[in-house]
Amino acid sequence: MAHDIHIIGGGLAGCEAAWQLARRGFRVKLSEMRGGGGATAAHHSDTLAELVCSNSFRSDDDERNAVGLLHHEMRAMASLIMEAGEAARLPAGSALAVDREAFAANVENALEAQPNVKIVREVVDSLPESGPTIIATGPLTGSALAESIAQVTGTDRLHFFDAIAPIVHRDSIDMDTCWLQSRWNKGESKDDRAAYINCPMDKEQYLAFHAGLIEGEKTEFKEWEASTPYFDGCMPIEVMAQRGVETLRYGPMKGVGLDDPRTACEEFPQGRWPYSVVQLRQDNTLGTLWNMVGFQTKLKHAEQVRLFRTIPGLESAEFARLGGLHRNTFINSPLLLDRQLRLKSRPWVRFAGQITGCEGYVESAAVGLVAGMMAADEMACNVWTPPPRTTAIGALLAHITGDAEAASFQPMNVNFGLFPPLHDVAKKQRKEAYTGRAKAEMAAWLAGRERLKTAA
Ligand SMILES: Cc1cc2nc3c(=O)[nH]c(=O)nc-3n(C[C@H](O)[C@H](O)[C@H](O)COP(=O)(O)OP(=O)(O)OC[C@H]3O[C@@H](n4cnc5c(N)ncnc54)[C@H](O)[C@@H]3O)c2cc1C
């Protein structure tokens, strides 16, 4: 069968993209290396859409949870992954958990029965030189293909590890304790000179925090993660702490050049430098998410929440994501991709799934879904209108294709911090307000697409 588009990678994103294209009448070649001489360190079978770890698609609550909302939107867009998940559903309270074998079999059977899809078991070693293509090879992309991607994108724009520092919701930071200032007031503009949120610590607080880092329970590296050389470039904060009690105070937690306005006096009208400081830097254009600078960590999640809430100003911090270090191949999408997930330097190549810098089964499938829709519209010469940013899928897409800060870009789960904020709504009602707005705007967007189709 000749094909209209080549999808590389038969995981969650690749399968979803293939489904979306095939049901719109396009002939898809879907290349998957497992079963064709390739393997990853995490997959155990040759089945398409294998879930490599947990069997959960997380919360299915579409009224108060961003990932639950994403489920809702994907169902509205006839997602194969959601349909296969529903058919393999297990009891799990408000979460959507699945029988992993039944789920993967449902996906594979649906694609095998779809006449427009040809599944080819083969390792693809380089980026195709021409023809519509979707790269959906995931966090464990085959090494030759990864090298080929690095050659095209530049090695510094393809990451093999996500060294993630925690990201905090801005509205949960106590700005009576913290202040906005760049070190030495450096910067051209007023915004540049106030680009960091500073959380000050006195000596006692610093020493207690240092002890907490040393004693905190850590996650172990898997053997194949420990041997990935990139690790040296992103040292966890607790490893740095182990090098000596002063190391952090001369590293990411140094207080020099930062004037704490609460200590202003006649002698120091701007305020004094704190003994130590934790800095946060803006992480998205909306200014709703801020990352803790230099705080990549292998501390266990519960330990991170407990310890980081002892930092002055972060006592009530809500985390959009916690820190971690994992093997993860992903590109610097905000720099490399256009708003339609196309590689700017090779516009016939789209990226989808976790390799774009989204994180999670559902998010990866969602980006596969939307990549399939975009490719179908392009091949049908339809004008693409993106889903509104107020929807979960629109917010995620906007984040990875340009709204995230490219310099600190790290993989991201869907969360309400990516949504245009609703400051006027009381905090208690905000989640319902986000999901209500998203559902209405998603319905309107889908109706608009239907009207265009009927008119054509
Ligand atoms: C160890 C690990 C555990 C994870 N656990 C979870 C979890 O519990 N929950 C969660 O929500 N997310 C988890 N993730 C994150 C992520 O959501 C999943 O990895 C998800 O499967 C990503 O979907 P994807 O389609 O982008 O990639 P994948 O599902 O990995 O699919 C990519 C496919 O491409 C194939 N492939 C790779 N290179 C080539 C090549 N050169 N030629 C042909 N085929 C190729 C692979 O064999 C694979 O089938 C985990 C990730 C890892 C690495």
Side-chain angles (χ1 to χ4, degrees), residues 8-15 31-34 38-40 42-43 47-58 122-126 136-146 222 224-225 326-328 352-355 358-365 413:
I8 305 171
L12 296 163
C15 290
S31 298
E32 169 51 54
M33 71 175 178
R34 288 176 294 115
T40 78
H43 290 83
T47 324
L48 299 182
E50 179 184 332
L51 302 177
V52 285
C53 186
S54 137
N55 67 331
S56 172
F57 288 178
R58 317 201 311 276
E122 61 177 355
V123 185
V124 176
D125 281 338
S126 59
T137 44
L140 306 170
T141 295
S143 51
L145 181 60
K222 296 210 173 60
W224 47 278
E225 287 179 326
H326 305 275
R327 164 84 160 86
N328 189 1
Q354 182 130 336
I355 197 166
C358 67
E359 168 95 33
Y361 297 150
V362 186
E363 289 86 340
S364 298
N413 284 121

Short mmCIF file of all heavy atoms in Angstrom, two decimals, residues 8-15 31-34 38-40 42-43 47-58 122-126 136-146 222 224-225 326-328 352-355 358-365 413, ligand 1:
data_model
loop_
_atom_site.label_atom_id
_atom_site.label_comp_id
_atom_site.label_asym_id
_atom_site.label_seq_id
_atom_site.Cartn_x
_atom_site.Cartn_y
_atom_site.Cartn_z
N ILE A 8 6.39 7.37 12.69
CA ILE A 8 7.45 6.54 13.27
C ILE A 8 7.23 6.47 14.78
O ILE A 8 7.25 7.50 15.46
CB ILE A 8 8.84 7.11 12.92
CG1 ILE A 8 8.96 7.26 11.40
CG2 ILE A 8 9.95 6.20 13.47
CD1 ILE A 8 10.20 7.99 10.93
N GLY A 9 7.00 5.25 15.26
CA GLY A 9 6.74 5.03 16.69
C GLY A 9 5.30 4.62 16.93
O GLY A 9 4.38 5.41 16.71
N GLY A 10 5.13 3.38 17.36
CA GLY A 10 3.77 2.86 17.60
C GLY A 10 3.44 2.85 19.08
O GLY A 10 2.95 1.85 19.62
N GLY A 11 3.73 3.95 19.77
CA GLY A 11 3.35 4.09 21.18
C GLY A 11 2.02 4.82 21.27
O GLY A 11 1.21 4.81 20.33
N LEU A 12 1.81 5.49 22.40
CA LEU A 12 0.52 6.15 22.62
C LEU A 12 0.27 7.26 21.61
O LEU A 12 -0.82 7.36 21.03
CB LEU A 12 0.48 6.70 24.04
CG LEU A 12 0.54 5.58 25.09
CD1 LEU A 12 0.92 6.13 26.45
CD2 LEU A 12 -0.78 4.86 25.17
N ALA A 13 1.29 8.08 21.36
CA ALA A 13 1.11 9.21 20.44
C ALA A 13 1.00 8.74 19.00
O ALA A 13 0.11 9.19 18.25
CB ALA A 13 2.28 10.18 20.58
N GLY A 14 1.89 7.83 18.59
CA GLY A 14 1.90 7.37 17.19
C GLY A 14 0.60 6.66 16.84
O GLY A 14 0.04 6.86 15.75
N CYS A 15 0.10 5.82 17.74
CA CYS A 15 -1.14 5.09 17.47
C CYS A 15 -2.32 6.05 17.37
O CYS A 15 -3.18 5.93 16.49
CB CYS A 15 -1.41 4.05 18.57
SG CYS A 15 -0.25 2.68 18.50
N SER A 31 5.52 2.80 11.52
CA SER A 31 6.72 1.99 11.78
C SER A 31 6.96 1.85 13.28
O SER A 31 7.01 2.87 14.00
CB SER A 31 7.96 2.65 11.17
OG SER A 31 7.83 2.74 9.78
N GLU A 32 7.08 0.63 13.73
CA GLU A 32 7.37 0.37 15.16
C GLU A 32 8.55 -0.58 15.24
O GLU A 32 8.55 -1.64 14.61
CB GLU A 32 6.14 -0.24 15.84
CG GLU A 32 6.39 -0.80 17.23
CD GLU A 32 7.11 0.16 18.19
OE1 GLU A 32 6.63 1.29 18.37
OE2 GLU A 32 8.17 -0.23 18.74
N MET A 33 9.55 -0.20 16.04
CA MET A 33 10.78 -1.01 16.06
C MET A 33 10.66 -2.28 16.89
O MET A 33 11.36 -3.26 16.64
CB MET A 33 11.97 -0.18 16.54
CG MET A 33 11.98 0.19 17.99
SD MET A 33 13.54 1.04 18.37
CE MET A 33 13.30 1.43 20.09
N ARG A 34 9.76 -2.27 17.90
CA ARG A 34 9.61 -3.51 18.69
C ARG A 34 8.93 -4.55 17.80
O ARG A 34 7.94 -4.27 17.14
CB ARG A 34 8.82 -3.23 19.97
CG ARG A 34 9.63 -2.43 20.99
CD ARG A 34 8.84 -2.06 22.22
NE ARG A 34 7.76 -1.14 21.94
CZ ARG A 34 6.47 -1.42 22.07
NH1 ARG A 34 6.09 -2.61 22.48
NH2 ARG A 34 5.55 -0.52 21.77
N GLY A 38 14.16 -4.01 17.16
CA GLY A 38 14.51 -2.96 18.12
C GLY A 38 13.88 -3.22 19.48
O GLY A 38 12.97 -4.04 19.61
N ALA A 39 14.37 -2.52 20.49
CA ALA A 39 13.84 -2.68 21.85
C ALA A 39 14.15 -1.41 22.64
O ALA A 39 15.02 -0.64 22.24
CB ALA A 39 14.49 -3.87 22.53
N THR A 40 13.44 -1.19 23.73
CA THR A 40 13.82 -0.11 24.65
C THR A 40 14.09 -0.75 26.01
O THR A 40 13.77 -1.92 26.22
CB THR A 40 12.69 0.95 24.83
OG1 THR A 40 11.71 0.43 25.72
CG2 THR A 40 12.03 1.34 23.51
N ALA A 42 12.58 -0.10 28.68
CA ALA A 42 11.38 -0.11 29.55
C ALA A 42 10.23 -0.95 29.02
O ALA A 42 9.41 -1.44 29.79
CB ALA A 42 10.90 1.32 29.77
N HIS A 43 10.14 -1.11 27.69
CA HIS A 43 9.04 -1.91 27.14
C HIS A 43 9.34 -3.40 27.32
O HIS A 43 10.49 -3.83 27.20
CB HIS A 43 8.85 -1.62 25.65
CG HIS A 43 8.31 -0.24 25.36
ND1 HIS A 43 9.11 0.88 25.31
CD2 HIS A 43 7.05 0.19 25.10
CE1 HIS A 43 8.37 1.95 25.04
NE2 HIS A 43 7.11 1.56 24.91
N THR A 47 3.76 -5.37 21.68
CA THR A 47 2.43 -4.81 21.40
C THR A 47 2.51 -3.28 21.27
O THR A 47 3.26 -2.64 21.99
CB THR A 47 1.45 -5.14 22.56
OG1 THR A 47 1.76 -6.43 23.03
CG2 THR A 47 0.02 -5.07 22.10
N LEU A 48 1.72 -2.76 20.35
CA LEU A 48 1.66 -1.30 20.21
C LEU A 48 1.09 -0.72 21.50
O LEU A 48 0.39 -1.41 22.25
CB LEU A 48 0.74 -0.92 19.04
CG LEU A 48 1.13 -1.42 17.63
CD1 LEU A 48 0.12 -0.91 16.59
CD2 LEU A 48 2.54 -0.98 17.25
N ALA A 49 1.35 0.55 21.73
CA ALA A 49 0.77 1.30 22.86
C ALA A 49 0.96 0.59 24.20
O ALA A 49 0.04 0.57 25.04
CB ALA A 49 -0.71 1.58 22.62
N GLU A 50 2.14 0.04 24.41
CA GLU A 50 2.40 -0.58 25.73
C GLU A 50 2.58 0.51 26.79
O GLU A 50 3.27 1.51 26.56
CB GLU A 50 3.68 -1.44 25.65
CG GLU A 50 3.99 -2.09 26.99
CD GLU A 50 5.30 -2.88 26.99
OE1 GLU A 50 5.72 -3.38 25.92
OE2 GLU A 50 5.89 -2.97 28.07
N LEU A 51 1.94 0.31 27.94
CA LEU A 51 2.14 1.23 29.07
C LEU A 51 3.39 0.74 29.82
O LEU A 51 3.38 -0.37 30.35
CB LEU A 51 0.92 1.24 29.98
CG LEU A 51 -0.41 1.61 29.32
CD1 LEU A 51 -1.55 1.51 30.33
CD2 LEU A 51 -0.36 3.01 28.72
N VAL A 52 4.42 1.57 29.87
CA VAL A 52 5.70 1.06 30.38
C VAL A 52 5.78 0.99 31.90
O VAL A 52 6.65 0.32 32.45
CB VAL A 52 6.90 1.90 29.86
CG1 VAL A 52 7.20 1.59 28.43
CG2 VAL A 52 6.70 3.37 30.11
N CYS A 53 4.88 1.68 32.59
CA CYS A 53 5.02 1.66 34.05
C CYS A 53 3.66 1.52 34.70
O CYS A 53 3.09 0.43 34.72
CB CYS A 53 5.75 2.94 34.48
SG CYS A 53 6.15 2.99 36.21
N SER A 54 3.10 2.60 35.20
CA SER A 54 1.80 2.50 35.90
C SER A 54 0.71 2.12 34.89
O SER A 54 0.86 2.29 33.69
CB SER A 54 1.51 3.86 36.54
OG SER A 54 0.19 4.24 36.35
N ASN A 55 -0.41 1.60 35.41
CA ASN A 55 -1.54 1.28 34.53
C ASN A 55 -2.64 2.34 34.66
O ASN A 55 -3.80 2.07 34.39
CB ASN A 55 -2.10 -0.11 34.84
CG ASN A 55 -2.75 -0.17 36.21
OD1 ASN A 55 -2.35 0.58 37.10
ND2 ASN A 55 -3.73 -1.02 36.38
N SER A 56 -2.25 3.55 35.10
CA SER A 56 -3.26 4.57 35.35
C SER A 56 -3.13 5.74 34.38
O SER A 56 -2.03 6.22 34.10
CB SER A 56 -3.11 5.09 36.79
OG SER A 56 -3.94 6.21 36.99
N PHE A 57 -4.31 6.19 33.92
CA PHE A 57 -4.37 7.44 33.14
C PHE A 57 -4.68 8.62 34.06
O PHE A 57 -5.16 9.63 33.63
CB PHE A 57 -5.44 7.35 32.05
CG PHE A 57 -5.08 6.44 30.90
CD1 PHE A 57 -5.99 6.23 29.86
CD2 PHE A 57 -3.86 5.80 30.84
CE1 PHE A 57 -5.67 5.40 28.79
CE2 PHE A 57 -3.53 4.97 29.78
CZ PHE A 57 -4.44 4.77 28.76
N ARG A 58 -4.48 8.40 35.35
CA ARG A 58 -4.67 9.41 36.40
C ARG A 58 -6.15 9.82 36.53
O ARG A 58 -7.02 9.07 36.14
CB ARG A 58 -3.71 10.59 36.19
CG ARG A 58 -2.31 10.12 35.82
CD ARG A 58 -1.20 11.10 36.05
NE ARG A 58 -1.30 12.45 35.59
CZ ARG A 58 -0.99 12.84 34.34
NH1 ARG A 58 -0.60 11.97 33.42
NH2 ARG A 58 -1.07 14.12 34.03
N GLU A 122 9.84 -2.26 12.04
CA GLU A 122 11.18 -1.92 11.57
C GLU A 122 11.78 -0.82 12.44
O GLU A 122 11.04 0.00 13.01
CB GLU A 122 11.13 -1.43 10.12
CG GLU A 122 10.28 -0.17 9.95
CD GLU A 122 10.27 0.39 8.53
OE1 GLU A 122 11.00 -0.12 7.67
OE2 GLU A 122 9.52 1.38 8.31
N VAL A 123 13.09 -0.80 12.53
CA VAL A 123 13.78 0.30 13.23
C VAL A 123 14.05 1.38 12.19
O VAL A 123 14.62 1.09 11.14
CB VAL A 123 15.13 -0.16 13.83
CG1 VAL A 123 15.77 0.96 14.64
CG2 VAL A 123 14.96 -1.42 14.66
N VAL A 124 13.64 2.59 12.46
CA VAL A 124 13.95 3.69 11.55
C VAL A 124 15.15 4.43 12.13
O VAL A 124 15.15 4.81 13.30
CB VAL A 124 12.74 4.65 11.40
CG1 VAL A 124 13.09 5.84 10.53
CG2 VAL A 124 11.54 3.89 10.84
N ASP A 125 16.19 4.59 11.30
CA ASP A 125 17.45 5.12 11.85
C ASP A 125 17.71 6.58 11.53
O ASP A 125 18.65 7.17 12.07
CB ASP A 125 18.63 4.28 11.33
CG ASP A 125 18.75 2.98 12.10
OD1 ASP A 125 18.23 2.92 13.24
OD2 ASP A 125 19.33 2.02 11.57
N SER A 126 16.91 7.16 10.62
CA SER A 126 17.18 8.58 10.35
C SER A 126 15.90 9.31 10.00
O SER A 126 14.90 8.70 9.61
CB SER A 126 18.20 8.72 9.21
OG SER A 126 17.69 8.08 8.07
N ALA A 136 7.10 10.04 16.52
CA ALA A 136 6.44 9.81 17.82
C ALA A 136 7.17 8.69 18.54
O ALA A 136 6.56 7.73 19.00
CB ALA A 136 4.97 9.47 17.59
N THR A 137 8.49 8.82 18.62
CA THR A 137 9.32 7.72 19.12
C THR A 137 9.56 7.78 20.63
O THR A 137 10.25 6.91 21.17
CB THR A 137 10.66 7.69 18.36
OG1 THR A 137 11.15 9.04 18.26
CG2 THR A 137 10.49 7.12 16.97
N GLY A 138 8.99 8.78 21.28
CA GLY A 138 8.92 8.74 22.73
C GLY A 138 10.21 9.01 23.46
O GLY A 138 11.25 9.32 22.88
N PRO A 139 10.14 8.84 24.80
CA PRO A 139 11.27 9.18 25.66
C PRO A 139 12.47 8.24 25.49
O PRO A 139 13.57 8.56 25.93
CB PRO A 139 10.70 9.03 27.08
CG PRO A 139 9.51 8.15 26.94
CD PRO A 139 8.96 8.40 25.57
N LEU A 140 12.24 7.08 24.85
CA LEU A 140 13.32 6.10 24.69
C LEU A 140 13.57 5.87 23.20
O LEU A 140 13.76 4.73 22.74
CB LEU A 140 12.95 4.81 25.43
CG LEU A 140 12.57 5.03 26.90
CD1 LEU A 140 11.98 3.78 27.53
CD2 LEU A 140 13.76 5.51 27.73
N THR A 141 13.59 6.94 22.45
CA THR A 141 13.86 6.91 21.00
C THR A 141 15.14 6.12 20.69
O THR A 141 16.16 6.28 21.38
CB THR A 141 14.01 8.37 20.50
OG1 THR A 141 12.75 9.01 20.66
CG2 THR A 141 14.45 8.45 19.05
N GLY A 142 15.06 5.27 19.64
CA GLY A 142 16.24 4.49 19.23
C GLY A 142 17.45 5.39 19.04
O GLY A 142 17.31 6.54 18.59
N SER A 143 18.65 4.87 19.35
CA SER A 143 19.82 5.76 19.42
C SER A 143 20.23 6.33 18.06
O SER A 143 20.59 7.51 17.98
CB SER A 143 20.99 5.06 20.10
OG SER A 143 21.20 3.81 19.47
N ALA A 144 20.12 5.55 16.97
CA ALA A 144 20.53 6.09 15.66
C ALA A 144 19.59 7.22 15.24
O ALA A 144 20.03 8.26 14.74
CB ALA A 144 20.54 4.97 14.61
N LEU A 145 18.30 7.03 15.47
CA LEU A 145 17.34 8.08 15.11
C LEU A 145 17.58 9.33 15.99
O LEU A 145 17.54 10.46 15.49
CB LEU A 145 15.90 7.58 15.27
CG LEU A 145 14.81 8.58 14.91
CD1 LEU A 145 14.91 9.03 13.45
CD2 LEU A 145 13.42 7.99 15.17
N ALA A 146 17.85 9.10 17.26
CA ALA A 146 18.13 10.24 18.16
C ALA A 146 19.33 11.03 17.66
O ALA A 146 19.32 12.27 17.65
CB ALA A 146 18.38 9.74 19.58
N LYS A 222 17.60 3.91 38.18
CA LYS A 222 17.62 2.60 37.54
C LYS A 222 19.02 2.46 36.91
O LYS A 222 19.63 3.46 36.54
CB LYS A 222 16.57 2.54 36.43
CG LYS A 222 15.16 2.66 36.96
CD LYS A 222 14.20 1.90 36.07
CE LYS A 222 12.82 1.88 36.68
NZ LYS A 222 12.25 3.22 36.88
N TRP A 224 20.11 1.67 34.01
CA TRP A 224 20.30 2.30 32.70
C TRP A 224 20.20 3.82 32.77
O TRP A 224 20.70 4.53 31.93
CB TRP A 224 19.35 1.73 31.65
CG TRP A 224 17.93 1.62 32.10
CD1 TRP A 224 17.38 0.63 32.84
CD2 TRP A 224 16.85 2.52 31.81
NE1 TRP A 224 16.05 0.86 33.05
CE2 TRP A 224 15.70 2.00 32.42
CE3 TRP A 224 16.76 3.72 31.09
CZ2 TRP A 224 14.46 2.63 32.34
CZ3 TRP A 224 15.53 4.33 31.01
CH2 TRP A 224 14.40 3.78 31.63
N GLU A 225 19.60 4.33 33.82
CA GLU A 225 19.58 5.78 33.99
C GLU A 225 20.93 6.24 34.55
O GLU A 225 21.50 7.23 34.13
CB GLU A 225 18.48 6.19 34.98
CG GLU A 225 17.10 6.05 34.41
CD GLU A 225 16.02 6.43 35.41
OE1 GLU A 225 16.20 6.19 36.61
OE2 GLU A 225 14.99 6.94 34.98
N HIS A 326 15.29 11.71 35.05
CA HIS A 326 14.96 10.46 34.36
C HIS A 326 15.60 10.45 32.99
O HIS A 326 15.81 11.50 32.41
CB HIS A 326 13.44 10.36 34.11
CG HIS A 326 12.61 10.49 35.33
ND1 HIS A 326 12.35 9.44 36.14
CD2 HIS A 326 11.99 11.56 35.86
CE1 HIS A 326 11.60 9.85 37.14
NE2 HIS A 326 11.37 11.14 37.00
N ARG A 327 15.78 9.24 32.47
CA ARG A 327 16.16 9.12 31.05
C ARG A 327 14.95 9.57 30.25
O ARG A 327 13.84 9.11 30.47
CB ARG A 327 16.49 7.65 30.77
CG ARG A 327 16.53 7.29 29.30
CD ARG A 327 17.89 7.61 28.67
NE ARG A 327 18.04 6.84 27.44
CZ ARG A 327 17.58 7.21 26.25
NH1 ARG A 327 16.94 8.34 26.11
NH2 ARG A 327 17.79 6.44 25.19
N ASN A 328 15.13 10.51 29.37
CA ASN A 328 14.00 11.05 28.62
C ASN A 328 14.53 11.80 27.41
O ASN A 328 15.21 12.81 27.56
CB ASN A 328 13.19 12.00 29.51
CG ASN A 328 11.89 12.42 28.87
OD1 ASN A 328 11.56 11.99 27.77
ND2 ASN A 328 11.13 13.25 29.54
N ALA A 352 5.42 14.42 17.80
CA ALA A 352 4.24 14.19 18.64
C ALA A 352 4.63 13.33 19.83
O ALA A 352 5.60 12.57 19.77
CB ALA A 352 3.16 13.48 17.82
N GLY A 353 3.86 13.46 20.90
CA GLY A 353 4.10 12.62 22.08
C GLY A 353 5.17 13.19 22.98
O GLY A 353 5.55 14.37 22.88
N GLN A 354 5.69 12.32 23.82
CA GLN A 354 6.58 12.78 24.88
C GLN A 354 7.86 13.42 24.34
O GLN A 354 8.45 14.26 25.00
CB GLN A 354 6.92 11.61 25.80
CG GLN A 354 7.79 12.01 26.95
CD GLN A 354 7.31 11.55 28.30
OE1 GLN A 354 6.12 11.30 28.48
NE2 GLN A 354 8.20 11.45 29.24
N ILE A 355 8.27 13.07 23.14
CA ILE A 355 9.49 13.66 22.57
C ILE A 355 9.34 15.17 22.34
O ILE A 355 10.31 15.89 22.21
CB ILE A 355 9.91 12.92 21.26
CG1 ILE A 355 11.36 13.23 20.90
CG2 ILE A 355 8.96 13.24 20.11
CD1 ILE A 355 11.96 12.31 19.85
N CYS A 358 6.00 17.13 26.26
CA CYS A 358 4.87 16.93 27.18
C CYS A 358 5.24 15.72 28.02
O CYS A 358 6.21 15.03 27.73
CB CYS A 358 3.56 16.72 26.43
SG CYS A 358 3.50 15.18 25.49
N GLU A 359 4.49 15.47 29.07
CA GLU A 359 4.87 14.37 29.96
C GLU A 359 3.61 13.60 30.37
O GLU A 359 2.60 14.19 30.75
CB GLU A 359 5.55 14.95 31.21
CG GLU A 359 5.75 13.97 32.34
CD GLU A 359 7.12 13.31 32.35
OE1 GLU A 359 8.08 13.98 31.94
OE2 GLU A 359 7.20 12.15 32.74
N GLY A 360 3.67 12.28 30.24
CA GLY A 360 2.55 11.46 30.71
C GLY A 360 1.87 10.73 29.57
O GLY A 360 1.92 11.17 28.42
N TYR A 361 1.25 9.60 29.91
CA TYR A 361 0.54 8.81 28.90
C TYR A 361 -0.51 9.65 28.17
O TYR A 361 -0.58 9.67 26.95
CB TYR A 361 -0.20 7.64 29.56
CG TYR A 361 0.63 6.61 30.27
CD1 TYR A 361 0.09 5.92 31.38
CD2 TYR A 361 1.91 6.27 29.85
CE1 TYR A 361 0.82 4.95 32.05
CE2 TYR A 361 2.64 5.29 30.51
CZ TYR A 361 2.09 4.63 31.62
OH TYR A 361 2.81 3.67 32.28
N VAL A 362 -1.36 10.31 28.98
CA VAL A 362 -2.53 11.00 28.40
C VAL A 362 -2.07 12.20 27.58
O VAL A 362 -2.53 12.42 26.45
CB VAL A 362 -3.50 11.43 29.52
CG1 VAL A 362 -4.76 12.01 28.92
CG2 VAL A 362 -3.84 10.26 30.42
N GLU A 363 -1.12 12.96 28.14
CA GLU A 363 -0.62 14.13 27.42
C GLU A 363 0.04 13.70 26.10
O GLU A 363 -0.15 14.35 25.06
CB GLU A 363 0.41 14.88 28.28
CG GLU A 363 -0.18 15.61 29.47
CD GLU A 363 -0.35 14.76 30.73
OE1 GLU A 363 -0.38 13.52 30.60
OE2 GLU A 363 -0.47 15.32 31.82
N SER A 364 0.82 12.60 26.14
CA SER A 364 1.49 12.13 24.92
C SER A 364 0.47 11.76 23.86
O SER A 364 0.59 12.13 22.69
CB SER A 364 2.38 10.92 25.23
OG SER A 364 3.38 11.30 26.15
N ALA A 365 -0.57 11.02 24.29
CA ALA A 365 -1.63 10.64 23.35
C ALA A 365 -2.34 11.88 22.81
O ALA A 365 -2.67 11.96 21.62
CB ALA A 365 -2.61 9.69 24.04
N ASN A 413 3.52 18.07 32.55
CA ASN A 413 2.17 17.50 32.59
C ASN A 413 1.16 18.61 32.34
O ASN A 413 1.45 19.76 32.57
CB ASN A 413 1.87 16.94 33.98
CG ASN A 413 2.56 15.62 34.26
OD1 ASN A 413 3.33 15.53 35.20
ND2 ASN A 413 2.29 14.61 33.47
C1 LIG B 1 10.45 4.29 32.39
C2 LIG B 1 9.28 5.20 32.14
C3 LIG B 1 8.16 5.13 32.94
C4 LIG B 1 7.06 5.96 32.70
N1 LIG B 1 5.97 5.85 33.50
C5 LIG B 1 4.88 6.61 33.27
C6 LIG B 1 3.71 6.45 34.08
O1 LIG B 1 3.67 5.64 34.98
N2 LIG B 1 2.64 7.24 33.80
C7 LIG B 1 2.65 8.15 32.81
O2 LIG B 1 1.63 8.83 32.60
N3 LIG B 1 3.75 8.31 32.02
C8 LIG B 1 4.86 7.58 32.23
N4 LIG B 1 5.99 7.73 31.47
C9 LIG B 1 6.07 8.83 30.51
C10 LIG B 1 5.38 8.72 29.14
O3 LIG B 1 4.11 9.23 29.24
C11 LIG B 1 5.34 7.41 28.48
O4 LIG B 1 6.66 7.07 28.21
C12 LIG B 1 4.50 7.38 27.18
O5 LIG B 1 4.47 6.07 26.77
C13 LIG B 1 4.98 8.30 26.08
O6 LIG B 1 4.21 8.10 24.90
P1 LIG B 1 4.88 8.23 23.46
O7 LIG B 1 3.90 7.72 22.47
O8 LIG B 1 5.43 9.57 23.29
O9 LIG B 1 6.12 7.23 23.54
P2 LIG B 1 6.09 5.63 23.67
O10 LIG B 1 4.81 5.16 24.25
O11 LIG B 1 7.36 5.24 24.34
O12 LIG B 1 6.13 5.15 22.16
C14 LIG B 1 7.24 5.35 21.34
C15 LIG B 1 7.36 4.14 20.44
O13 LIG B 1 8.35 4.40 19.45
C16 LIG B 1 9.12 3.23 19.26
N5 LIG B 1 10.42 3.66 18.72
C17 LIG B 1 11.41 4.32 19.34
N6 LIG B 1 12.43 4.57 18.49
C18 LIG B 1 12.08 4.03 17.30
C19 LIG B 1 12.74 3.94 16.04
N7 LIG B 1 13.95 4.45 15.84
N8 LIG B 1 12.09 3.32 15.01
C20 LIG B 1 10.85 2.77 15.20
N9 LIG B 1 10.20 2.81 16.38
C21 LIG B 1 10.80 3.45 17.42
C22 LIG B 1 9.19 2.60 20.66
O14 LIG B 1 9.45 1.23 20.60
C23 LIG B 1 7.80 2.90 21.20
O15 LIG B 1 6.89 1.87 20.94
C24 LIG B 1 7.10 6.91 31.66
C25 LIG B 1 8.24 6.98 30.86
C26 LIG B 1 9.31 6.14 31.08
C27 LIG B 1 10.51 6.24 30.19
#
